[in-house]
C-alpha cells in the first residue's frame, strides 16, 4: 500500500488548463538492429510488459482517489494494465527535420495524461532524417522525481544490443485500502493536521530565506539567523536577497508549448571547468546565464539585475537496489535559488559571479535540511490543498508574485551507449514543466555518452522559438572555451 506524499499531491493539484505537471524525455535511436529495421509498438510493449515490475509505480500503478477528497490518493496496480494502451506511433512527413520533430513533441507535451490508468505514455515517431526514430516518453511528476525517472529508463534499457537477464517478478499486486479505511484515515489526518502544520512551520523557520521569493522580504534573513542561533544549528552562509526581475517569459503562460533540443560536447565543458575552475554544473549555469543574457539583450529586455534561477536537488540517499523496484516514498526533491549574473557584461566576471553564487547556494543547502519543499507542501489539509494550490497558481501572475525567473536543471547521465529493444540510443533530451510561478521557460540538460543534451520547453506565446536559446548556448560555449585557453 502506497499513498501520495504531499509533494506528489501538489504536482497533481498544480494542473490547470494551462499547466501540465508531467516530465518527459525525447530519445533518438537507430532502429536498424530491430527486426525489420523498425521499432514497433508490439516490440516495445513486450519489453515494458516483461520489465514493468522493475519500476512498478510509474509503469503499472494507477491512482485511487479517496472519497470526498478527504486525503491524498493512493497507488495500486492497475488490474487492466496493458502497455499497448500507452504506446503510439506517429510518422513525420518528409523531410523529417528537427523543427518538425520539435513541433510534434511540443504538441504531445501540451496534452494531459489520463488519470484513470498508469500515468505515462510513449510515442514512437518515425520518418526522421537519416532513417532514425524518435521516442517521446512522458510520465507524471506525481509518480516520479528525477532519480526515479532515470531508474525507470534504466529498467527499460540495456548496456548492449542483447537484452540482459531479468529477475523474476515475485511481488504481490499492490492494492489500495478499502473505502472505509481510506475515509477513516483521511478524517484522522485532517483532525491532526493543525499539529503537523505547527511542526512544519517550526522546521521551516530556520531556513525561511532559502525559499525563493521569501528571501527578498526585509527581515527574513535576520529571522532565520536568530532562529538558527537559538536552535544552535550549524552556521550556514546567509542567503542573498534576490528579487526576480520582469522578463518576457515571466507572464501568465498559455496552453501551447514550444520545444527545442541541442547538444554540446562534454569534453569541451570539462575543458572549460578545468581551465576556469569550478564544476561541470557551474559551467552549465554560466552557459545558461550567457545565453539568456544574449536572448534578452537582443529583444531590448535585459534587466539591470540578475535573473533568479531555481535548481532542483534530489534528497535521495543511495541508489536503488539492483534488480528491484524502488520503494522510497514519493518525490524527494528540493530546490536551490541562485542569482544568474545575467547583468554582468564581461564573460570572465560573469563566470566568477556564477561560481560564487552556486558555491554559496550549495554550502547553504548542505548546511540546511533542504526539506522546505516538503514542509510547505503539507501546510494545508488535503481537502482544501487542491483548490488552494490552483488558486495560488492562477493568482500569482495577477499579483506580480515572481519568486524565480526559470528553472535550470543539470542531470548527470551514463557516459556509455544504451539500447532500447536492440536499438542504440544516440541522444536523450529531457523536457520538463513550466508554470506561472516558475516561469514560462525551463532549461534541462542531461549528459549522455560524451554529450550534454539540452532540452528546452517554453510557453509558445512567450518564447515562440526556443531554438534561439540553443544557438546562444553554442555561442556561449565557444566564448568560455576561448576564455579558458587564455
Amino acid at each position: 500500500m502506497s499513498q501520495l506524499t504531499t509533494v506528489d499531491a501538489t504536482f497533481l493539484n498544480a494542473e490547470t488548463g494551462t499547466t501540465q505537471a508531467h516530465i518527459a524525455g525525447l530519445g533518438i535511436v537507430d532502429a536498424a538492429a530491430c527486426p525489420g529495421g523498425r521499432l514497433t509498438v508490439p516490440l516495445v510493449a513486450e519489453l515494458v510488459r516483461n520489465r514493468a515490475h522493475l519500476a512498478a509505480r510509474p509503469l503499472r500503478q494507477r491512482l485511487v482517489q479517496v472519497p470526498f477528497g478527504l486525503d491524498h490518493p493512493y497507488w495500486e496496480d492497475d488490474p487492466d494494465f496493458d502497455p499497448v494502451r500507452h504506446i503510439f506511433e506517429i510518422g513525420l512527413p518528409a523531410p523529417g527535420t528537427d523543427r518538425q520533430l520539435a513541433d510534434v513533441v511540443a504538441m504531445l507535451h501540451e496534452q494531459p495524461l489520463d488519470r484513470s490508468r498508469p500515468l505515462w505514455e510513449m510515442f514512437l515517431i518515425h520518418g526522421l532524417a537519416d532513417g532514425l526514430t524518435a521516442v517521446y516518453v512522458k510520465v507524471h511528476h506525481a509518480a516520479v522525481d528525477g532519480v526515479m525517472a532515470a531508474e525507470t529508463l534504466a529498467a527499460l534499457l540495456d548496456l548492449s544490443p542483447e537484452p540482459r537477464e531479468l529477475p523474476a517478478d515475485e511481488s504481490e499486486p499492490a492494492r489500495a485500502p478499502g473505502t472505509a479505511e481510506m475515509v477513516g484515515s483521511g478524517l484522522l489526518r485532517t483532525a491532526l493536521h493543525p499539529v503537523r502544520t505547527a511542526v512544519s512551520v517550526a522546521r521551516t523557520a530556520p531556513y525561511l530565506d532559502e525559499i525563493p521569493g521569501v528571501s527578498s522580504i526585509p527581515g527574513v534573513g535576520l529571522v532565520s539567523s536568530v532562529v538558527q542561533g537559538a536552535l544552535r544549528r550549524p552556521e550556514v552562509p546567509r542567503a542573498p536577497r534576490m528579487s526576480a526581475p520582469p522578463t518576457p517569459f515571466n507572464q501568465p503562460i498559455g496552453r501551447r508549448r514550444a520545444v527545442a533540443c541541442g547538444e554540446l560536447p562534454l569534453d569541451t565543458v570539462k575543458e572549460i571547468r578545468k581551465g576556469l575552475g569550478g564544476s561541470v554544473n557551474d559551467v552549465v549555469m554560466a552557459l545558461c546565464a550567457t545565453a539568456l543574457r544574449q536572448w534578452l539583450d537582443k529583444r531590448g529586455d535585459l534587466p539591470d539585475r540578475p535573473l533568479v534561477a531555481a535548481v532542483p536537488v534530489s534528497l535521495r540517499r543511495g541508489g536503488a537496489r539492483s534488480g528491484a523496484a524502488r520503494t522510497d516514498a514519493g518525490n524527494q526533491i528540493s530546490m536551490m535559488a541562485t542569482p544568474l549574473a545575467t547583468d554582468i557584461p564581461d564573460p570572465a566576471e560573469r563566470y566568477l559571479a556564477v561560481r560564487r553564487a552556486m558555491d554559496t547556494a550549495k554550502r547553504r543547502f548542505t548546511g540546511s535540511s533542504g526539506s522546505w519543499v516538503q514542509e510547505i507542501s503539507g501546510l494545508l489539509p488535503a481537502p482544501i490543498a487542491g483548490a488552494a494550490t490552483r488558486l495560488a497558481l492562477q493568482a500569482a501572475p495577477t499579483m506580480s508574485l515572481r519568486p524565480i525567473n526559470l528553472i535550470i536543471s543539470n542531470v548527470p547521465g551514463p557516459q556509455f551507449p544504451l539500447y532500447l529493444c536492440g536499438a542504440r540510443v544516440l541522444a536523450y533530451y529531457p523536457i520538463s514543466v513550466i508554470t506561472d510561478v516558475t516561469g514560462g521557460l525551463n532549461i534541462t540538460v542531461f549528459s549522455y555518452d560524451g554529450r550534454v543534451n539540452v532540452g528546452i520547453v517554453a510557453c509558445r506565446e512567450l518564447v515562440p522559438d526556443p531554438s534561439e536559446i540553443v544557438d546562444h548556448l553554442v555561442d556561449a560555449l565557444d566564448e568560455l572555451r576561448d576564455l579558458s585557453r587564455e
Side-chain angles (χ1 to χ4, degrees), residues 82-299:
D82 185 352
V84 172
R85 300 175 62 203
H86 297 258
I87 306 172
F88 311 91
E89 287 188 276
I90 295 176
L92 291 181
T97 64
D98 291 344
R99 175 57 66 89
Q100 288 175 292
L101 176 61
D103 287 342
V104 167
V105 170
M107 177 189 68
L108 297 174
H109 206 62
E110 297 167 0
Q111 306 304 316
L113 286 162
D114 184 350
R115 294 195 183 184
S116 69
R117 59 189 187 185
L119 297 176
W120 67 276
E121 288 180 344
M122 180 185 298
F123 292 82
L124 311 180
I125 306 173
H126 305 287
L128 274 66
D130 301 322
L132 301 177
T133 301
V135 181
Y136 168 80
V137 186
K138 65 179 175 182
V139 59
H140 206 287
H141 219 322
V144 296
D145 56 19
V147 172
M148 292 178 71
E151 291 174 357
T152 302
L153 283 175
L156 300 179
L157 300 174
D158 293 302
L159 301 178
S160 72
E162 298 299 321
R164 67 185 186 275
E165 292 187 10
L166 300 173
D169 182 8
E170 299 177 351
S171 61
E172 294 293 328
R175 291 288 178 260
T179 300
E181 183 178 349
M182 287 193 293
V183 170
S185 296
L187 290 172
L188 179 61
R189 290 177 191 273
T190 300
L192 295 176
H193 195 271
V195 176
R196 291 201 302 272
T197 297
V199 172
S200 292
V201 170
R203 288 174 176 170
T204 306
Y207 309 110
L208 282 174
D209 58 347
E210 193 174 303
I211 304 171
V214 175
S215 62
S216 62
I217 300 175
V220 166
L222 179 61
V223 170
S224 293
S225 296
V226 169
V227 175
Q228 288 175 27
L231 297 176
R232 296 183 179 180
R233 297 285 177 87
E235 185 176 350
V236 296
R238 177 74 65 87
R241 288 186 61 183
M242 293 176 288
S243 176
T247 75
F249 46 82
N250 292 115
Q251 302 178 39
I253 65 172
R255 184 185 62 82
R256 301 191 64 203
R257 298 289 177 264
V259 166
C261 300
E263 291 185 353
L264 304 172
L266 183 58
D267 285 346
T268 304
V269 172
K270 290 181 176 180
E271 177 187 348
I272 294 169
R273 175 194 61 78
K274 184 177 181 180
L276 299 181
S279 65
V280 167
N281 194 52
D282 292 337
V283 177
V284 169
M285 296 297 290
L287 292 174
C288 291
T290 300
L292 291 167
R293 174 183 169 84
Q294 292 175 345
W295 188 87
L296 290 164
D297 193 35
K298 182 178 178 181
R299 286 158 177 76

